[in-house]
């Protein structure tokens, strides 16, 4: 059991950092009205976060397709990432549910190298999945952790509500990392 203690500490530290940053950036503006200056920034930040979550969905799908035995284990985490896409989407659009391992996720064409993302976004990068299932899960866990860390860094520049949402999604990514690494190669 002591081997999971550092993971829990890092999880709690990340959640505390995200919550603290969220509180600092989510404070009231004291009555100042500046919705016009925040709207374009928030929209850009949301669109970038949606693209990043869609790329993570693509990684989940590619991993499940390359290693069908992992599909059941990854399905709940992939579904949560799909919910992140919906929550982060500037227009409130919900991603179309795609079965794990499919070539489509979050309403954007998937699979073919150079396929366009949602709303004319830059081409999505083809996902490379390691040959060994345990390495594929590790790569997925690393992607979750990296994205969570990047989102935590973006909190300081995000408008209040978006900062709180990014903090929540970042904390979820850290939990996903923990779940993916807590029992490598085993069943959850």
């Amino acid at each position: 059991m002591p081997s999971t203690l550092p993971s829990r500490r890092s999880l709690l530290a990340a959640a505390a950092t995200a919550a603290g940053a969220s509180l600092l950036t989510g404070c009231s503006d004291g009555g100042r009205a500046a919705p016009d200056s925040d709207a374009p920034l928030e929209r850009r930040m949301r669109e970038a976060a949606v693209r990043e979550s869609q790329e993570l969905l693509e990684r989940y799908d590619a991993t499940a397709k390359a290693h069908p035995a992992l599909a059941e284990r990854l399905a709940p985490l992939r579904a949560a990432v799909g919910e992140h896409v919906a929550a982060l989407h500037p227009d409130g659009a919900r991603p179309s549910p795609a079965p794990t391992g499919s070539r489509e996720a979050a309403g954007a064409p998937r699979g073919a190298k150079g396929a366009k993302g949602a709303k004319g976004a830059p081409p999505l990068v083809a996902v490379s999945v390691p040959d060994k299932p345990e390495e594929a899960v590790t790569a997925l866990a690393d992607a979750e952790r990296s994205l969570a860390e990047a989102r935590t860094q973006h909190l300081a520049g995000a408008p209040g509500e978006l900062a709180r949402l990014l903090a929540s999604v970042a904390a979820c990514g850290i939990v996903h990392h923990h779940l993916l690494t807590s029992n490598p190669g085993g069943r959850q």
Side-chain angles (χ1 to χ4, degrees):
M1 195 116 199
S3 65
T4 61
L5 191 54
S7 295
R8 288 181 185 156
R9 284 182 185 160
S10 64
L11 172 65
L12 291 173
T17 300
S22 174
L23 289 174
L24 289 175
T25 60
C27 293
S28 170
D29 65 0
R32 290 180 293 145
D36 292 337
S37 65
D38 285 349
L41 170 65
E42 180 173 354
R43 183 167 195 86
R44 285 191 314 270
M45 290 183 82
R46 281 181 177 271
E47 288 172 350
V50 167
R51 278 191 307 275
E52 293 164 346
S53 289
Q54 286 175 328
E55 289 170 3
L56 187 57
L57 279 174
E58 185 173 297
R59 181 171 293 281
Y60 271 98
D61 289 343
T63 302
K65 183 176 181 180
H67 303 286
L70 295 174
E72 185 178 340
R73 178 180 176 197
L74 299 179
L77 302 178
R78 188 226 179 262
V81 174
E83 290 299 318
H84 299 162
V85 171
L88 290 164
H89 201 282
D91 300 324
R94 301 195 60 81
S96 60
T100 302
S102 77
R103 296 179 69 89
E104 287 190 17
R110 300 287 180 205
K113 201 173 202 176
K116 287 283 187 182
K119 295 190 179 188
L124 298 169
V125 179
V127 176
S128 174
V129 178
D131 292 333
K132 294 181 181 177
E134 60 275 4
E135 291 174 5
V137 171
T138 298
L140 196 53
D142 290 345
E144 283 276 14
R145 186 190 68 243
S146 294
L147 184 53
E149 289 171 355
R151 287 189 167 147
T152 301
Q153 291 175 351
H154 291 118
L155 289 174
E161 283 300 315
L162 180 57
R164 287 186 281 277
L165 181 57
L166 288 173
S168 177
V169 173
C172 190
I174 295 297
V175 171
H176 286 186
H177 175 266
H178 175 71
L179 291 172
L180 289 166
T181 59
S182 64
N183 189 11
R187 286 198 158 154
Q188 293 286 326

